[in-house]
Amino acid sequence: MSAPGADCILLGSQPSFIIKLKNNPSNLLQSNSLSIAWLNHLSTVSQLKFTRSQAMAGGAYVVFFKPFAPRETCYSIEQMSTILNLIKQDGSVEYVDPNQILHLTQKKASLPTSHLGSNLESIQWDMNVPGLGGIDALNAWNITQANSNVIVGVLDTGVFANASLDPNLRPGVTFNNNGQWSLGATPSCGVNECNDSSAHGTHTAGTVAASGALAYGHTIFGVAPAAKVLPINIFTKFTSEDDCGVGAAPCLGAYDVDYINAIYWLTGTAFNGLTSAPNVVAINMSFGGNNEVCGAAATVAFKLLQDHNITAIAAAGNNNSDMANFSPANCSDVIAVAATGATKLKAYYSNWGNTVAIAAPGGDLGIDSGIYSTTAAAYAAYQGTSMAAPHIAGVAALLYAVDPTMTPARALQIMQNNVTAFATTADAMRTCAPAGRCGTGIINAATAVSAVTVPNIVWSPNFIITHLSTTSTKIGWSGASWSNQASTSI
């Protein structure tokens, strides 16, 4: 058996592929599956034993196979490449991807609440001025704190109750357990279960949009404190160390199929038992998998987000290595985010590479106190690129609040052009040299929001009044148009 680590792909004790067939699309509403004849055909092609399938979004199927050997859960890159090539060569297959188990990109919890001061400057250094390593959220708030029409989807572990976050929560949903879904976004693990990772989603959601309501002794703000968060629990509780891959069981992991299904729901696909998704402006993804190229199913899903004007943000990962094989951050149409500390240096753990778009505060153990945000009826300071990514999601919310016609490409350009320069160091673990290794710089929320050119409504009505009778009059006028961009009639 291949040991979970840098050289294998974790598929778990119920391994599966995401397969789309050219002439046999799945149907979610009918919950159809592949026939025995199709399973036998794919088994012959791949030299595996496919056992069952189920419909997923995008016309694809999750197709399960018998593990190579007892307790086999993690497959070498060479094994996986050979199998995928065999399946891809079959003329009936449009695409095939491993259905990998992904993990959270929280490095670790850092200092306890009692260590922290009592004011925003000492508690939330990440929101402070750039000279202190922050994103200058306070000056951005002089322009906008977002509004209730701006919604950010947080694909994570779900949320616990928190008096600062609750006012900004929309009703959530769950996509987990390898292709299942349900209403509600209650975490799959209890507060003290799963290596203390169950509050991860509450923490990232708070960084996006904690309201600043006084609770638990502090007023904690998200980057966009007047925006709304749509929590989406995509994490499954695993009880076997074979499935966990890293750390001890029980643990939380997310299958590729579950976050892909969530994206399709956000872009209008109907799922039995779920209400239609509200319109979100961005999604935050603080999770990922090693040794995973961006699959065809994910590539199509992220293009769909672009087509719906939804900005996708992902954590770059915590391996202090090139992000090129860390998915979904390596996907096209995704903003990959590296982490920095209060010293404006790369966090020691943060991934890097020329596919990283931008950096944001994530904390750096031993140098600062991490990112302070909401947890289960409390606050805590965590570290990781998990904590960096929601800063960018929050800034995206501010940009969409200023200009509702914002697009993902324009949001990325504005953010990349409005950054604070990295500090320089000879420390190989914390340097962002050469240029571009950690993106264009550390996001500056204030200058980014200030840079948004707000379209003005130009209206010079030409009223025409026509008397039709003594009791009836017809009034006509010319339409309005946007300025500062291509003219759009209203």
Side-chain angles (χ1 to χ4, degrees):
M1 173 173 129
S2 302
D7 62 346
C8 73
I9 296 175
L10 184 65
L11 298 184
S13 57
Q14 298 184 53
S16 59
F17 292 120
I18 296 172
I19 299 179
K20 185 173 183 180
L21 301 173
K22 293 179 180 178
N23 299 312
N24 190 1
S26 67
N27 188 311
L28 270 177
L29 297 182
Q30 294 179 5
S31 299
N32 69 325
S33 57
L34 291 173
S35 66
I36 293 176
W38 267 112
L39 292 176
N40 289 339
H41 173 73
L42 292 172
S43 296
T44 301
V45 166
S46 64
Q47 300 177 19
L48 295 176
K49 176 59 179 176
F50 284 106
T51 57
R52 61 187 176 90
S53 69
Q54 63 191 44
M56 64 169 285
Y61 296 89
V62 183
V63 189
F64 297 85
F65 63 89
K66 185 177 179 181
F68 295 170
R71 297 170 62 82
E72 184 71 270
T73 61
C74 200
Y75 297 88
S76 72
I77 297 172
E78 291 76 17
Q79 285 176 317
M80 203 44 45
S81 178
T82 298
I83 296 167
L84 292 173
N85 286 335
L86 288 172
I87 298 174
K88 289 175 182 177
Q89 290 171 11
D90 186 79
S92 65
V93 175
E94 183 172 329
Y95 64 69
V96 55
D97 301 323
N99 187 23
Q100 188 169 349
I101 298 175
L102 312 175
H103 292 286
L104 298 166
T105 48
Q106 171 188 328
K107 187 63 180 176
K108 65 189 302 182
S110 60
L111 300 179
T113 304
S114 59
H115 168 83
L116 299 163
S118 59
N119 56 71
L120 181 63
E121 288 73 18
S122 61
I123 294 175
Q124 291 191 280
W125 63 268
D126 54 313
M127 302 291 178
N128 213 316
V129 294
L132 299 177
I135 67 170
D136 202 9
L138 285 77
N139 281 313
W141 296 339
N142 290 331
I143 301 172
T144 183
Q145 294 188 9
N147 58 68
S148 60
N149 293 320
V150 175
I151 307 170
V152 175
V154 176
L155 280 60
D156 213 296
T157 65
V159 291
F160 290 115
N162 182 286
S164 180
L165 178 60
D166 289 351
N168 284 338
L169 287 180
R170 294 291 301 263
V173 297
T174 291
F175 289 89
N176 67 356
N177 291 322
N178 218 350
Q180 299 178 23
W181 55 86
S182 61
L183 291 171
T186 302
S188 304
C189 287
V191 175
N192 297 315
E193 283 188 299
C194 299
N195 304 316
D196 296 326
S197 61
S198 54
H200 185 278
T202 312
H203 196 278
T204 58
T207 299
V208 175
S211 68
L214 178 62
Y216 322 116
H218 296 299
T219 52
I220 298 303
F221 293 85
V223 176
K228 298 297 183 182
V229 165
L230 173 64
I232 303 174
N233 175 19
I234 61 164
F235 277 83
T236 298
K237 178 182 178 180
F238 293 102
T239 57
S240 166
E241 292 187 12
D242 291 333
D243 290 318
C244 290
V246 293
C251 71
L252 288 169
Y255 289 101
D256 283 329
V257 61
D258 291 322
Y259 87 80
I260 292 171
N261 273 346
I263 289 174
Y264 274 89
W265 177 70
L266 288 170
T267 53
T269 295
F271 286 79
N272 287 324
L274 298 186
T275 56
S276 298
N279 294 325
V280 301
V281 300
I283 65 168
N284 186 78
M285 301 176 291
S286 290
F287 57 86
N290 294 326
N291 302 317
E292 187 177 36
V293 299
C294 186
T299 298
V300 173
F302 288 121
K303 177 61 167 61
L304 197 59
L305 285 175
Q306 287 274 317
D307 293 343
H308 283 76
N309 261 0
I310 300 171
T311 296
I313 298 106
N318 299 339
N319 307 101
N320 188 32
S321 62
D322 194 327
M323 193 206 74
N325 291 318
F326 191 87
S327 182
N330 62 1
C331 292
S332 300
D333 300 322
V334 172
I335 299 175
V337 185
T340 53
T343 56
K344 296 187 288 184
L345 298 172
K346 183 183 84 69
Y348 74 95
Y349 53 80
S350 179
N351 283 354
W352 40 265
N354 58 16
T355 51
V356 173
I358 199 166
D364 197 356
L365 190 63
I367 294 178
D368 55 60
S369 56
I371 304 302
Y372 201 49
S373 186
T374 50
T375 57
Y379 303 123
Y382 293 169
Q383 295 184 354
T385 54
S386 273
M387 286 61 252
H391 286 85
I392 300 300
V395 174
L398 298 178
L399 299 182
Y400 278 87
V402 175
D403 180 3
T405 69
M406 185 65 60
T407 65
R410 187 163 162 244
L412 174 59
Q413 181 181 41
I414 290 171
M415 288 192 281
Q416 287 187 310
N417 289 344
N418 290 276
V419 295
T420 301
F422 301 111
T424 58
T425 180
D427 185 345
M429 294 188 71
R430 291 188 168 89
T431 184
C432 280
R437 190 171 187 250
C438 309
T440 59
I442 305 165
I443 184 64
N444 186 312
T447 61
V449 172
S450 298
V452 178
T453 302
V454 182
N456 298 313
I457 294 179
V458 177
W459 191 22
S460 300
N462 179 22
F463 281 97
I464 301 173
I465 302 175
T466 304
H467 293 286
L468 301 179
S469 69
T470 56
T471 59
S472 176
T473 298
K474 177 182 178 182
I475 302 175
W477 60 88
S478 59
S481 65
W482 297 106
S483 65
N484 296 331
Q485 56 181 281
S487 178
T488 304
S489 61
I490 299 178

